[in-house]
Amino acid sequence: MAQQATASSRIASLILRILTFILLLISLIVLATNSIGSSDDDSKVRFTDFYAYRYMLATIVIGNAYSLLQLVLTIFNIVRGGDGMPFLDFFGDKFISYVLATGAAAGFGLTVDLKRLMDASEADMLNFDDKAFASASLLLLAFVTTAILSVISAYTLPKRV
């Protein structure tokens, strides 16, 4: 029974890690392509013009690197049939989930502030804000999947007697 629970938790971890990687990748693409204005003048506004969005990008890249590493390790452990490194899974998932949460919060905070400052007549800026909001939403969903992974990895930790 315990072997079946371990196998099912490994499969669930694999699925959630794939989902996390996809969410972070889409969030990265949406954020990196977010800009307004024409490309032939200096008035083009990019996401890199705002510190909060740069922080959000950094958290996405860090989360994606960790997610890819854990994805490879999870596949290796499923194929090999081993337990892996439960402490790395648990504490790594905890740390990365907090990093992703702060990145999403920074993105949401700046987007809300920018929407409050802009008029409805500035349609380009509202489109910019909507893309940033979508990227922050995907980052928040990636946080949720990583938090769920942290709970799953808590059950795989060695028990003390």
Side-chain angles (χ1 to χ4, degrees):
M1 182 75 166
Q3 184 69 14
Q4 184 181 7
T6 305
S8 62
S9 69
R10 277 191 244 137
I11 298 296
S13 292
L14 178 65
I15 292 168
L16 284 171
R17 291 195 192 284
I18 291 170
L19 181 62
T20 302
F21 180 77
I22 291 170
L23 287 169
L24 289 171
L25 187 63
I26 294 170
S27 179
L28 176 69
I29 292 168
V30 170
L31 185 65
T33 59
N34 196 9
S35 64
I36 58 171
S38 61
S39 60
D40 45 328
D41 61 358
D42 292 335
S43 65
K44 188 169 186 172
V45 177
R46 294 182 179 89
F47 78 96
T48 55
D49 295 334
F50 303 98
Y51 287 115
Y53 291 150
R54 281 195 250 170
Y55 177 74
M56 197 166 104
L57 176 71
T59 61
I60 292 169
V61 169
I62 291 168
N64 236 346
Y66 174 78
S67 180
L68 187 60
L69 171 71
Q70 284 289 57
L71 186 60
V72 170
L73 290 175
T74 302
I75 291 171
F76 179 74
N77 288 327
I78 288 174
V79 170
R80 192 182 62 134
D83 289 335
M85 297 176 280
F87 286 107
L88 173 68
D89 293 343
F90 179 70
F91 291 113
D93 290 340
K94 285 262 188 234
F95 177 75
I96 292 298
S97 67
Y98 293 141
V99 168
L100 295 178
T102 59
F108 281 131
L110 181 60
T111 303
V112 168
D113 286 345
L114 287 176
K115 278 192 181 217
R116 193 170 354 128
L117 293 175
M118 297 301 135
D119 294 340
S121 62
E122 297 175 349
D124 286 344
M125 192 62 184
L126 289 176
N127 188 27
F128 180 84
D129 289 342
D130 289 342
K131 284 183 178 179
F133 192 78
S135 182
S137 298
L138 290 167
L139 186 55
L140 183 66
L141 288 175
F143 155 71
V144 170
T145 59
T146 308
I148 293 169
L149 279 165
S150 179
V151 171
I152 291 173
S153 64
Y155 287 108
T156 62
L157 289 174
K159 307 294 186 250
R160 288 189 172 186
V161 278

